[in-house]
Amino acid sequence: MLDRIITNIDSIKKIKKIKKTLLISFFILVLLIITLFTGINKLNRISTEYDECGYVNAFRHVNSYEGLGKNIFISQLPGFYTFTNPAFVIFGQSIIAGRFTILLLSILGILSLLWLSYELGSVLIGILCIGIINLISRYQIESVTFHSSLLPTI
């Protein structure tokens, strides 16, 4: 009789843990979807950053086999080109493709924030931080601006 009660209590604890995990996963998914759709909404905007066109042209020259540092002056570390060029090529070699690449990197940054909060033992604080970050309009603009300043933040 006592064994059956203990088994039931353990089952209830497992169910509560599963429900909590599902709820946290749901909130994370909702925040990531909000971040993605907010960013996609801002991809085709008028640019206030003059560097974006410079990056697009540099990427186009690199992709036309001119090579980094040979005929093209680069002011960023080569890792920026190596890390972002595959997505830039896949999405169409335009300013919108560059912005979408940076948006994906900003989502990677959000996922790393979630991982860090998990390692510190408080996923709920990570979810709260992501919610606050999504409310900051400067973050929403910078997370879809094609520049190399986002990579060190990841």
Side-chain angles (χ1 to χ4, degrees), residues 43-68:
L43 286 179
N44 198 14
R45 63 177 167 76
I46 297 174
S47 179
T48 58
E49 299 284 334
Y50 298 111
D51 292 343
E52 283 186 309
C53 292
Y55 288 125
V56 169
N57 287 327
F59 272 84
R60 286 180 180 166
H61 285 293
V62 167
N63 291 326
S64 67
Y65 302 105
E66 293 186 25
L68 282 177

Side-chain angles (χ1 to χ4, degrees), residues 21 29 35 39 42 49 51 54 61 66 72 74 77 86 96 100 110 118 130 132 147-148:
T21 304
L29 185 64
T35 304
K42 295 184 183 301
E49 299 284 334
D51 292 343
H61 285 293
E66 293 186 25
I72 303 168
I74 57 169
L77 296 173
I96 294 176
F100 188 71
I110 286 175
Y118 173 77
I130 293 169
I132 292 171
H147 55 66
S148 64

Side-chain angles (χ1 to χ4, degrees), residues 1-2 11 27 55 57 76 96 98-99 111 113 115 117 122 130:
M1 177 88 170
L2 185 60
S11 297
F27 279 122
Y55 288 125
N57 287 327
Q76 293 73 31
I96 294 176
R99 289 175 180 173
L111 290 173
L113 176 67
W115 174 74
S117 65
S122 181
I130 293 169

